Amino acid sequence: MGSATVIGVDLGGTAIKLGRYTATGDCLASLVIDTPQPATPTAVTEAIAAAIQQLDPDRGAIAIGIGTPGPADAAGRIARVAINLEGWRDVPLADWMEAATGRSTILANDANCAGLGEAWLGAGRQFQDLLVLTLGTGVGGAVILGGELFTGRTGAAGELGLITLNPDGPPCNSGNQGSLEQYTSVQAVRRRTGLEPHQVAAKAAAGDLEAIAFWAAYGRDLGAGLASLIYIFTPEALVIGGGISAGAQWFFPAMEAEVNRRVLPSSREGLQIVVAELGNQAGMAGAARLAWQRLAP
């Protein structure tokens, strides 16, 4: 059987990524399957169980961690809602997976898992206290304190993208208005420029002054949001990931200038702001890390 492993699962609307990890973070095998359509809880449970059987035929894995696209309960047992998956409401996914696989299972929100992955094996690996912000379709986040994921008493803490940036700003799906997400997500870039983020980055690279000015304004908005988070958590590092982070060179200077302008030196002593490293492997790695931290003997 060899040394023990765990399985990390990143459950998305179009694909499910699975990896088998050692306690030191080596990924021994991985697999990507299409998310069943319609992605009902039963169909997804069966698909994951079958993939695990394929990934770990010798049953060497002792536990399973799953990142779900939405909030889990504080105990990591129930997927309360899952974005872009059909019919998900308070699904006891951990119970179902345990019944289907015979392995202990824990759940967390996918942005939290991505943060934990970066903290374990990525850009955050030399830090204990860090914030991970994912600039994608929405803006997700994770708070890692003392190397552990902080999700609060109900499991819903760490929604870093939903803090208020402008009380009179555009309405947000969360019910908030002018949230950080409304200024820094992919959707926000499209709304403000009519283009995809990579197109605006390409224009900036070609010397387009309007695109360069857009990224400076974007960096300023992001920096203002980060200032609030830094004042609360005083992290050692901020890790910026998600699709938009590919254009970091265009908005990092304005973002850093804004952070330095707004945050007292005593609150940002030694702070490093870095780009995430794991890309779309982060969620799978973080789900495995969660299983090691919470379930391994």
Side-chain angles (χ1 to χ4, degrees), residues 6 20 23 41 55 79 98 102 104 106 111 135 176 178 186 211 231 246 257 292:
V6 300
R20 192 151 61 92
L55 194 63
E98 287 174 356
S104 297
I106 186 148
L135 307 171
N176 195 2
V186 170
Y231 271 125
W292 277 121

Side-chain angles (χ1 to χ4, degrees), residues 32-45:
V32 181
I33 61 169
D34 291 331
T35 306
Q37 303 299 341
T40 61
T42 316
V44 166
T45 303

Side-chain angles (χ1 to χ4, degrees), residues 248-265:
Q249 71 190 95
W250 300 109
F251 64 82
F252 259 52
M255 172 194 75
E256 289 176 329
E258 198 65 15
V259 164
N260 291 342
R261 188 174 79 79
R262 288 176 181 266
V263 181
L264 285 166

Side-chain angles (χ1 to χ4, degrees), residues 48-213:
I48 295 174
I52 287 172
Q53 176 57 35
Q54 196 182 329
L55 194 63
D56 183 30
D58 304 329
R59 298 183 64 82
I62 55 172
I64 299 163
I66 303 179
T68 66
D73 68 327
R77 307 291 303 164
I78 295 166
R80 288 161 63 178
V81 189
I83 319 299
N84 301 328
L85 300 181
E86 202 164 306
W88 287 67
R89 198 109 210 155
D90 294 328
V91 176
L93 187 59
D95 289 349
W96 292 6
M97 287 309 305
E98 287 174 356
T101 66
R103 255 69 69 85
S104 297
T105 302
I106 186 148
L107 317 176
N109 165 271
D110 55 2
N112 283 336
C113 285
L116 204 50
E118 287 292 341
W120 187 31
L121 302 174
R125 61 187 175 275
Q126 65 267 53
F127 308 107
Q128 283 295 296
D129 296 326
L130 63 151
L131 304 179
V132 182
L133 205 64
T134 312
L135 307 171
T137 312
V139 173
V143 179
I144 316 282
L145 300 175
E148 299 269 340
L149 188 61
F150 170 76
T151 56
R153 63 188 172 81
T154 64
E159 284 289 359
L160 305 183
L162 300 183
I163 63 168
T164 303
L165 197 62
N166 173 6
D168 303 313
C172 178
N173 291 339
S174 64
N176 195 2
Q177 207 184 335
S179 62
L180 180 59
E181 179 168 287
Q182 291 307 309
Y183 291 86
T184 55
S185 65
V186 170
Q187 247 85 318
V189 174
R190 284 180 190 143
R191 189 182 71 240
R192 297 170 87 177
T193 66
L195 299 168
E196 296 296 319
H198 69 89
Q199 293 172 311
V200 194
K203 288 181 81 163
D208 183 289
L209 295 178
E210 208 179 331
I212 290 168

